[in-house]
Amino acid sequence: MENEEIVAALKDIFFHQRVLVTGGCGFIGSAVVRALYRHTPADIAILDKLTYSADIEALEEAYGVPRVQLHTFDLLEQSAVEELIATFCPTLILHLAAETHVDRSIDDPLQFVTSNITGTAVLLEAVRKYWRSLTHADQAQFRFVQISTDEVYGSIGEHEHFEVSSPYQPNSPYAASKAAADHLVRAWWKTYGIPVIFTHSCNNYGPYQYPEKLIPLMLWKGMQGEDFPVYGNGLQSREWVYVEDHAAALLLIGNRGTVGSVYHITSGEEIRNIDLVNELANELEKALQEMSPNRVIAKRTSKVVHVEDRPGHDIRYAMSGKPLHDALGWQKEISWKEGLARTVRWYLAHPSFFAKKRSQGYKGNRLGCQITN
Ligand SMILES: NC(=O)c1ccc[n+]([C@@H]2O[C@H](COP(=O)([O-])OP(=O)(O)OC[C@H]3O[C@@H](n4cnc5c(N)ncnc54)[C@H](O)[C@@H]3O)[C@@H](O)[C@H]2O)c1
């Protein structure tokens, strides 16, 4: 089944009435909220601390409407988390809230331990109390989806793929904090019986991504005529999925996924960083030409420059997406080529997005390479 069909069918078959999205003002969380709002009849509650990477405008038409509640507090605020869950009575929780930038985790690992590990533990405890209070029928319908990353598996050699049974070997403080959170979720399933599902996604891209991440950072630089800073030799290889495809997968998994299962959300389209940056530079130039067809655009002056590599930089991630495809029929709808074209044009059409981040203090500076012992 194509994702368009999946999404069209969701309106009729989506059985969850109340969905709690943690991190719902972040890059992926907001895409999930938009998809839930547009394609399902569910009531939606967002729990988000509104860190630097959150953006309420990303909720688009789902912001400020009665069906969507926004609760702006930290996962660590135990009584607030408990009260929200007890009063909203979610039938599905999609847990996306986290600190997410690897470079920041190198500079400030404890922030990642606090938000991603302790934050998940607080949430799980609130869920445990709530779930115990439900009838057997409601307990059976409830789902907690832990949104994790391919980075928990560490780096993999050429021609290999991580399977859902692959061991965890996280290499960055970010990946380790996500791995620890996954283990907590598993323990709350095995010990207390909470019906949980795990997802691991490859790299996401698309609208509203904070400009510290590779694709918007390169666009930010390129749109200002600055050089494209590539970490190390740029031969690191990643799979990339368009954020709306990820959101569709999460809705499907929340609705039809099997308790205790692990699903890999991957496009199968693997690109080396250096190739990605070159493709992006070409697409940016093409899009700028299209925007001003009567003007001769000066040849692009931005060039790739190789900068100091990230400490502990994983060389390659690649996952097998077979379980999700075979069990639930999901496959990406938006190819890398189309997604890149859409993404470049979205950022060009929304210059206020970067301007806002700049006015909030982000300057595009290098993070995560000042290791002090
Ligand atoms: N972006 C990717 O490529 C990718 C890939 C795989 C998995 N993931 C996972 O998906 C999830 C979302 O990632 P993203 O790229 O949207 O991140 P993001 O940084 O854009 O958004 C994270 C959101 O979580 C909120 N948040 C952070 N700490 C919080 C706390 N303690 N309490 C409440 N809210 C808090 C932030 O305010 C923000 O809105 C994360 O769990 C991440 O590990 C992301």
Side-chain angles (χ1 to χ4, degrees), residues 26-28 48-49 51 53 74-75 96 100 115 174 178 204:
F27 164 52
I28 303 173
D48 198 303
K49 175 187 172 181
T51 66
S53 68
D74 196 316
L75 275 175
L96 294 108
T100 58
S115 264
Y174 162 68
K178 292 295 293 184
N204 283 229

Side-chain angles (χ1 to χ4, degrees), residues 185-202:
V185 174
R186 180 182 163 85
W188 263 246
W189 165 46
K190 287 288 179 179
T191 304
Y192 306 112
I194 313 288
V196 307
I197 301 173
F198 302 86
T199 70
H200 298 264
S201 171
C202 64

Side-chain angles (χ1 to χ4, degrees), residues 22-29 47-55 73-76 95-100 115-116 119 147-150 174 178 200-205 209-210 212-213 246:
T22 74
C25 297
F27 164 52
I28 303 173
L47 189 176
D48 198 303
K49 175 187 172 181
L50 300 185
T51 66
Y52 72 95
S53 68
D55 196 330
F73 53 81
D74 196 316
L75 275 175
L76 294 157
H95 178 36
L96 294 108
E99 291 290 340
T100 58
S115 264
N116 300 0
I147 285 80
S148 189
T149 163
D150 53 5
Y174 162 68
K178 292 295 293 184
H200 298 264
S201 171
C202 64
N203 279 13
N204 283 229
Y205 67 105
Q209 189 168 29
Y210 196 79
E212 65 196 356
K213 304 282 170 57
H246 186 178

Side-chain angles (χ1 to χ4, degrees), residues 27 52-54 104 208-214 216-217 347 353-354 357-358 360-363:
F27 164 52
Y52 72 95
S53 68
R104 286 182 194 260
Y208 298 108
Q209 189 168 29
Y210 196 79
E212 65 196 356
K213 304 282 170 57
L214 181 62
L217 178 66
Y347 286 94
F353 179 75
F354 284 156
K357 305 304 169 197
R358 201 174 290 117
Q360 290 167 351
Y362 183 69
K363 302 277 182 271

Side-chain angles (χ1 to χ4, degrees), residues 223 291 346-358:
M223 282 162 68
M291 283 168 74
W346 187 89
Y347 286 94
L348 281 174
H350 297 81
S352 60
F353 179 75
F354 284 156
K356 186 165 63 177
K357 305 304 169 197
R358 201 174 290 117

Side-chain angles (χ1 to χ4, degrees), residues 30-41:
S30 61
V32 170
V33 171
R34 296 194 300 271
L36 277 166
Y37 183 72
R38 289 172 190 162
H39 307 304
T40 80

